[in-house]
Amino acid sequence: MFQKILIANRGEIACRVAATAKRLGVKTVAVYSDADANAKHVAACDEAVHIGGSAPKDSYLRWERIIEAARQTGAQAIHPGYGFLSENEDFANACAAAGLVFIGPPASAILAMGLKAESKRLMAKAGVPLVPGYQGVDQDPQLLQREADAIGYPVLIKASAGGGGKGMRLVEKSEDFAAALESCKREAINSFGNDAVLVEKYVQRPRHIEIQVFGDSQGNCVYLFERDCSVQRRHQKVLEEAPAPGMTEAMRQKMGQAAVAAAQAVGYVGAGTVEFIVEQPGGYEAPEQMKFYFMEMNTRLQVEHPVTEAITGEDLVEWQLRVASGEPLPKRQDELRIIGHAIEARICAENPDNNFLPATGRLAVYCKPACTSFERSPVRIDDGVREGDAISPFYDSMIAKLIVHGDDRAQALARLDDALAQTHIVGLATNVQFLRHVVASDAFTQARLDTALIQREEARLFGQEKVGLPLAAAAAVASQLQREQAGQGADPFGRRDGWRSLTPCRRRFEFDFGGQHAKAWLSYERDGGYGLEVGEGESAVRGPLAFAPAAGGAIDLQYAGQRTRAVVYAQGESDHVFTPQGATRIEALDLLAHAGEAAGEGGRLTAPMPGKVVSFAVKAGDKVAKGQPLAVMEAMKMEHTIAAPADGVVAELLYAPGDQVAEGAELLRLSAA
């Protein structure tokens, strides 16, 4: 076993590798950028070396600086994690040339599987089923169009060197192909430095099922069963589970054997994942009719590896370290068993109701359920952040991975929803409530899975308000009253209980909730109780209000015949309300502070996040319609289209393609049409 390794990554995966290394008595070296000087992964390692600026190209992609850091600190090996340099054959070769062990597969395997077209030719030779498509070297756009027309629509355009959902476009009809190809190539060259693409048939009602494989330097190779990763947004995984629902033992063995054959075809060593697209010709209720096709191989540890650890009881990072140090695989195929069911949810800084727009900001509140970190348990949370840390625009938007394990899928689902309900994040938008909606949906609970589940169920998943104005207002009022009671002294004249000698006291509150303004009236009753009226007219909700402190800073809340447990975090005028039903935000307005405010201005369009302007689709003087694409921005390694908020005329473009812009920066001005 190694004595010291360098971890060439950041965030959650760097902390994950460090945890196993520490358990094994292996010293660790962290590397960090300017933005990560005080990051959790730096504190998790024994040593740390600064390697450059905040942008990945100035730090985590500078492999020569990383190798220098390994030499300086006496590290014997480098663990690349996932992303960044983990699938870079030049980096693997450079490690070998420097006398360092690359904790991953041989560079030849990375190269063979790194290009989708080449890997599919290898798989065809190895007898692994393939989806019909074109993987040729001729990249003439007209040829690609003809191939797509011959395959038949819908087709999928993929960056040949791509991964992680980037450089991928679904094309429904022939006339849309040229524009989709141009966009795909642009994103591919920006993300991977290679704009070659392949075109393949888009499988209808597809599931995304992957097989975890592991090889050693003695020629042994096993598969550690499957993970279902079908629940995706923008071609990126949202939920992963193991084993795959409905998987028959016969198909599991066939897919496992095909995955092992794929790994052996390239002399694979270490952890890898063979991804398959699975067709369901007989529908969701006929899993025995499923057919699988090779999609790609990820020559690294996957983000979702903890679900495999949960159902096998194995530590895959430990396996990586042992295999890389020359040891044989810890177990044979016949020694591996599936234990229970596991599900992983990726908690990300993003706004699902706004096309999953990435969010940045500081984790003002980061409260987690009772859990372990980086080790198997009923509830496990792997993360690389702490409360108070910032989520920056430089890196991936994932905050944490929540992994649950149960005796069966039903128990795992219940544990997942309960753990999500106890995950409280304030300071930036997240997908936690969206994940709860997915987990509670009939499609997911009944395992009617395919990669279009989110689009298919969008009416039940987006724009959901599970708390509602009356309960949110009651929680905000109760929280305010609790704070006032805690701050009052023994002086009876300083009490804020609404006592009056002759008449009952009524107190007005005003809120903004879901874009609507609302009023509430609190009545101080003679018996010391409260009455609350939320809203006006026939729609108003009236009833007694009662509250008491509960464990964990919660409020035991009773209002208008409803009883619940609420946790309220006050951030300025915003009250973030978390209940078992869901979470919401309500603005408790300071009436004095807002007196005389003018109406909000209109007629302009601003950047919804920090990023780079890629292109404008309009020029000054152009008439535009509401919803029309105006500009393309790039942030967090993804392209985002900015659309017109209303009809109008472009008065002025305020930036040029290539310019970096801050969140809220005015990109262009619109005037009335």
Side-chain angles (χ1 to χ4, degrees):
M1 180 56 68
F2 306 111
Q3 293 178 325
K4 182 186 288 189
I5 65 171
L6 181 144
I7 305 170
N9 216 295
R10 65 176 301 279
E12 172 269 326
I13 186 57
C15 294
R16 166 73 187 92
V17 175
T20 289
K22 183 176 183 179
R23 181 172 60 80
L24 297 176
V26 178
K27 297 294 184 183
T28 53
V29 180
V31 293
Y32 65 92
S33 67
D34 289 345
D36 282 339
N38 298 308
K40 183 178 177 179
H41 79 274
V42 174
C45 292
D46 299 295
E47 301 174 61
V49 179
H50 176 254
I51 55 171
S54 299
K57 67 180 178 61
D58 298 324
S59 50
Y60 298 107
L61 294 177
R62 291 180 59 190
W63 57 261
E64 73 288 346
R65 183 69 188 92
I66 290 171
I67 288 176
E68 181 185 344
R71 284 173 165 167
Q72 288 174 349
T73 56
Q76 301 158 292
I78 294 180
H79 195 302
Y82 51 72
F84 294 136
L85 296 168
S86 62
E87 295 179 282
N88 186 310
E89 70 273 10
D90 292 334
F91 180 54
N93 280 324
C95 288
L100 298 164
V101 175
F102 178 77
I103 303 175
S108 57
I110 298 175
L111 179 62
M113 289 299 192
L115 296 174
K116 288 188 174 68
E118 178 60 26
S119 67
K120 292 198 174 186
R121 285 191 285 270
L122 283 170
M123 294 304 98
K125 187 176 180 181
V128 180
L130 298 177
V131 176
Y134 173 76
Q135 296 92 34
V137 295
D138 189 340
Q139 294 288 302
D140 177 69
Q142 293 184 351
L143 171 66
L144 294 172
Q145 174 91 58
R146 290 196 298 273
E147 291 290 342
D149 292 345
I151 293 168
Y153 295 89
V155 300
L156 205 58
I157 307 173
K158 292 183 180 179
S160 186
K166 300 179 183 67
M168 186 182 296
R169 298 292 185 274
L170 173 63
V171 187
E172 301 278 0
K173 51 187 184 295
S174 181
E175 51 266 39
D176 295 339
F177 185 85
L181 176 63
E182 182 180 351
S183 176
C184 184
K185 281 181 168 289
R186 183 171 63 233
E187 188 167 281
I189 197 72
N190 288 336
S191 298
F192 314 112
N194 184 339
D195 69 351
V197 302
L198 56 87
V199 183
E200 65 184 23
K201 178 70 176 175
Y202 183 72
V203 176
Q204 304 284 349
R205 203 158 41 198
R207 285 175 70 175
H208 182 156
I209 298 178
E210 59 190 30
I211 304 291
Q212 175 73 60
V213 294
F214 235 104
D216 63 23
S217 54
Q218 286 79 33
N220 303 305
C221 191
V222 299
Y223 65 92
L224 288 89
F225 313 113
E226 78 280 359
R227 298 183 289 254
D228 192 302
C229 308
S230 299
V231 182
Q232 302 179 5
R233 53 94 170 112
R234 301 175 68 172
H235 303 294
Q236 292 185 311
K237 300 163 187 173
V238 174
L239 292 165
E240 302 100 352
E241 59 182 309
M247 174 67 72
T248 65
E249 187 56 38
M251 185 170 179
R252 176 175 291 123
Q253 290 185 12
K254 286 182 181 179
M255 292 183 73
Q257 290 164 1
V260 167
Q264 291 177 326
V266 294
Y268 202 83
V269 175
T273 298
V274 182
E275 302 197 352
F276 295 97
I277 191 166
V278 177
E279 190 174 21
Q280 303 180 93
Y284 306 115
E285 308 304 325
E288 70 281 354
Q289 297 182 31
M290 293 192 298
K291 301 177 182 178
F292 65 92
Y293 305 99
F294 174 82
M295 187 162 56
E296 62 183 353
M297 183 175 187
N298 289 308
T299 53
R300 53 172 167 79
L301 196 67
Q302 291 281 85
V303 175
E304 58 272 21
H305 75 271
V307 294
T308 296
E309 294 183 327
I311 66 162
T312 61
E314 304 298 327
D315 182 330
L316 297 192
V317 174
E318 179 179 343
W319 279 42
Q320 284 188 299
L321 296 178
R322 293 195 180 282
V323 165
S325 65
E327 296 181 26
L329 290 174
K331 287 190 176 180
R332 302 187 309 269
Q333 189 68 59
D334 61 1
E335 295 177 303
L336 294 167
R337 297 285 185 275
I338 293 177
I339 308 162
H341 197 94
I343 310 174
E344 174 180 296
R346 299 190 188 190
I347 297 174
C348 297
E350 62 187 16
N351 186 345
D353 289 337
N354 190 11
N355 197 30
F356 297 98
L357 190 71
T360 58
R362 193 165 298 279
L363 294 168
V365 173
Y366 181 37
C367 181
K368 298 180 283 189
C371 63
T372 62
S373 293
F374 311 119
E375 62 182 44
R376 186 172 180 263
S377 72
V379 180
R380 165 181 172 178
I381 293 182
D382 289 3
D383 59 26
V385 294
R386 301 151 299 195
E387 188 169 277
D389 286 352
I391 304 298
S392 78
F394 298 107
Y395 312 116
D396 187 83
S397 63
M398 190 174 73
I399 297 171
K401 303 185 310 195
L402 169 59
I403 307 100
V404 297
H405 181 248
D407 294 336
D408 52 31
R409 190 170 188 263
Q411 187 180 66
L413 280 169
R415 283 183 174 162
L416 180 57
D417 184 63
D418 184 58
L420 285 168
Q422 295 180 58
T423 301
H424 302 167
I425 298 176
V426 175
L428 71 173
T430 75
N431 66 338
V432 172
Q433 299 309 308
F434 172 78
L435 290 169
R436 293 194 69 192
H437 302 159
V438 176
V439 171
S441 68
D442 288 343
F444 191 75
T445 56
Q446 297 174 20
R448 298 198 301 270
L449 304 175
D450 60 55
T451 57
L453 184 148
I454 288 177
Q455 296 95 308
R456 182 160 41 86
E457 301 291 323
E458 63 180 349
R460 300 173 180 85
L461 303 182
F462 297 99
Q464 301 297 304
E465 175 50 63
K466 298 295 186 179
V467 179
L469 172 61
L471 190 58
V477 170
S479 178
Q480 174 68 23
L481 293 175
Q482 276 195 340
R483 291 194 297 271
E484 291 173 0
Q485 291 169 1
Q488 68 188 13
D491 181 359
F493 295 100
R495 294 176 64 87
R496 303 187 65 180
D497 57 5
W499 183 88
R500 293 187 182 183
S501 61
L502 298 176
T503 59
C505 174
R506 294 187 78 212
R507 180 177 172 185
R508 186 178 67 163
F509 290 83
E510 293 201 14
F511 300 101
D512 278 341
F513 182 79
Q516 300 295 318
H517 188 73
K519 293 181 180 179
W521 290 94
L522 178 71
S523 300
Y524 291 82
E525 308 296 343
R526 290 288 184 182
D527 60 1
Y530 302 95
L532 184 66
E533 178 181 329
V534 180
E536 298 176 284
E538 294 182 359
S539 62
V541 175
R542 303 172 181 86
L545 172 68
F547 56 91
I555 301 170
D556 183 359
L557 182 68
Q558 297 180 62
Y559 175 57
Q562 187 174 3
R563 182 170 184 172
T564 192
R565 190 172 182 272
V567 180
V568 181
Y569 301 95
Q571 300 285 316
E573 292 187 335
S574 295
D575 282 338
H576 298 263
V577 181
F578 293 85
T579 73
Q581 301 96 307
T584 193
R585 185 178 76 176
I586 185 168
E587 305 292 329
L589 302 181
D590 183 327
L591 301 182
L592 183 61
H594 288 273
E597 266 190 3
E601 62 178 304
R604 70 176 196 171
L605 188 144
T606 57
M609 78 207 100
K612 182 177 73 174
V613 177
V614 174
S615 63
F616 282 103
V618 293
K619 61 183 184 299
D622 285 356
K623 291 184 178 181
V624 298
K626 182 178 180 180
Q628 179 179 335
L630 302 180
V632 175
M633 284 187 62
E634 182 184 283
M636 290 185 172
K637 301 184 280 188
M638 297 288 286
E639 286 192 357
H640 308 274
T641 299
I642 309 299
D647 295 349
V649 176
V650 178
E652 183 181 6
L653 303 182
L654 301 176
Y655 287 92
D659 287 350
Q660 292 286 338
V661 297
E663 181 178 358
E666 191 175 4
L667 300 178
L668 55 83
R669 289 196 177 95
L670 293 179
S671 58

